[in-house]
Amino acid sequence: MPSSSVLETVRDDSLFGLEESVRAIQRHDALEQSGQAYVVAATCHRRLALCALLVDARPDRFSAHLCHSAHARLHFLQLVAGGHGAEPRFLCATQEFPFIDALVAGQPDLAVGIARQAARRHDPDFEYEDDFLLHHFLHQFLLTERGSGSADLPALLERWEAVLEGGSDTYLDACRALLHRRAHAFDEALQATVDARLLRFQKLPRDSGPNDEQRKTEGAVFMMGLALLRLAELRGMDTRREYPTLPSLARVPAGRPAPLPSAWMSLGLMD
């Protein structure tokens, strides 16, 4: 199936999923009570963002949908902080992909809001500790960079290294380079991560279903990589303007006005 057909299907499915999740939230049904409806809404907005970039070459819509994803997540986390129930699997630090979306959209303050509410403990029932440490480090790194946190970042990296038990992780290398503001080491680690990720997507079984959709959305645009570039930018580090799967079109300038926090539920404003 041509890429454009796959992406049009992704867009249609995402619009439908978003509509269903918003209705669930408005009804306060079981999906809303568990938190799943908010996760689905954020996921759909991320996928719509990718379609806006890959189909329409519209970085403005790309950024807007990423902000919608982040606002949906922040709204949910604020509800939970106020006593709203939620299934634990929806509260893991590794579920904070909207934090990444906020960074990519050039909204570090929005990302800070999510980081402040994010889980600070590893949940072994739903996530691997090294995955948790990647997300937790990025949350604490941004909070520290913006003057809102005081975590022992070197200790987090040491724990991450211990968890790997002698193994390697290019994400760890990139985060260590970020912390020490080593631009060349960061560039090498990011390129190695991109290369490994490209290989992983190439090995996905060829089909016309979820694997193909994943390859043509998340496989085409490396969102975590874009977030890492944003953090390097905040650190004043020089980076290449473009890497494979990190197109310059996706590097949204920081500081643009974000959509209204409630706009993520306004279906009439969607693509």
Side-chain angles (χ1 to χ4, degrees):
M1 184 182 294
S3 292
S4 58
S5 298
V6 172
L7 292 171
E8 290 296 345
T9 298
V10 169
R11 177 147 54 190
D12 290 344
D13 289 348
S14 298
L15 286 169
F16 178 78
L18 178 59
E19 183 176 358
E20 290 296 297
S21 64
V22 169
R23 286 177 176 169
I25 290 167
Q26 291 170 338
R27 292 193 299 263
H28 298 285
D29 67 11
L31 291 177
E32 190 277 336
Q33 293 298 312
S34 71
Q36 184 173 353
Y38 298 97
V39 176
V40 171
T43 301
C44 289
H45 274 299
R46 171 181 270 210
R47 288 163 70 86
L48 288 168
L50 291 169
C51 290
L53 189 75
L54 296 168
V55 178
D56 304 320
R58 290 288 302 270
D60 56 335
R61 290 184 181 176
F62 174 66
S63 177
H65 279 295
L66 294 179
C67 288
H68 294 327
S69 166
H71 279 135
R73 182 63 178 182
L74 181 58
H75 177 72
F76 171 57
L77 292 175
Q78 289 171 338
L79 287 175
V80 171
H84 190 290
E87 291 185 17
R89 62 191 173 114
F90 299 130
L91 296 174
C92 295
T94 49
Q95 283 287 328
E96 301 301 350
F97 65 87
F99 166 84
I100 301 301
D101 295 346
L103 284 176
V104 176
Q107 302 294 332
D109 290 341
L110 180 52
V112 163
I114 294 173
R116 284 176 177 154
Q117 303 284 347
R120 301 194 176 197
R121 293 185 180 277
H122 164 230
D123 189 333
D125 290 333
F126 300 106
E127 58 190 354
Y128 293 110
E129 189 173 0
D130 55 333
D131 291 339
F132 162 79
L133 286 165
L134 166 60
H135 289 82
H136 182 53
F137 175 85
L138 295 181
H139 299 160
Q140 297 307 307
F141 179 87
L142 180 64
L143 290 174
T144 300
E145 190 69 15
R146 305 293 281 191
S148 299
S150 58
D152 188 344
L153 297 175
L156 290 179
L157 295 182
E158 289 174 9
R159 174 58 188 170
W160 190 348
E161 187 172 8
V163 168
L164 293 175
E165 297 182 334
S168 62
D169 189 334
T170 56
Y171 282 114
L172 173 58
D173 297 336
C175 290
R176 186 180 287 117
L178 268 179
L179 180 61
H180 297 292
R181 204 183 269 109
R182 295 173 181 162
H184 181 67
F186 175 80
D187 179 80
E188 288 188 335
L190 182 58
Q191 183 64 62
T193 306
V194 168
D195 292 344
R197 192 170 176 275
L198 283 170
L199 183 60
R200 178 166 59 83
F201 275 101
Q202 288 171 4
K203 291 180 177 179
L204 282 179
R206 299 281 172 175
D207 59 33
S208 58
N211 285 330
D212 204 26
E213 291 184 0
Q214 187 180 14
R215 186 183 296 108
K216 290 182 170 66
T217 52
E218 298 284 348
V221 181
F222 182 17
M223 296 294 289
M224 177 67 82
L226 289 168
L228 289 169
L229 284 170
R230 179 74 67 192
L231 293 174
E233 177 185 297
L234 292 175
R235 290 284 274 170
M237 296 164 59
D238 291 330
T239 64
R240 280 182 269 161
R241 180 61 185 162
E242 193 164 80
Y243 299 73
T245 67
L246 298 170
S248 58
L249 189 65
R251 297 191 66 176
V252 179
R256 290 182 176 178
L260 292 174
S262 60
W264 64 274
M265 291 187 68
S266 301
L267 297 174
L269 300 178
M270 301 305 149
D271 289 340

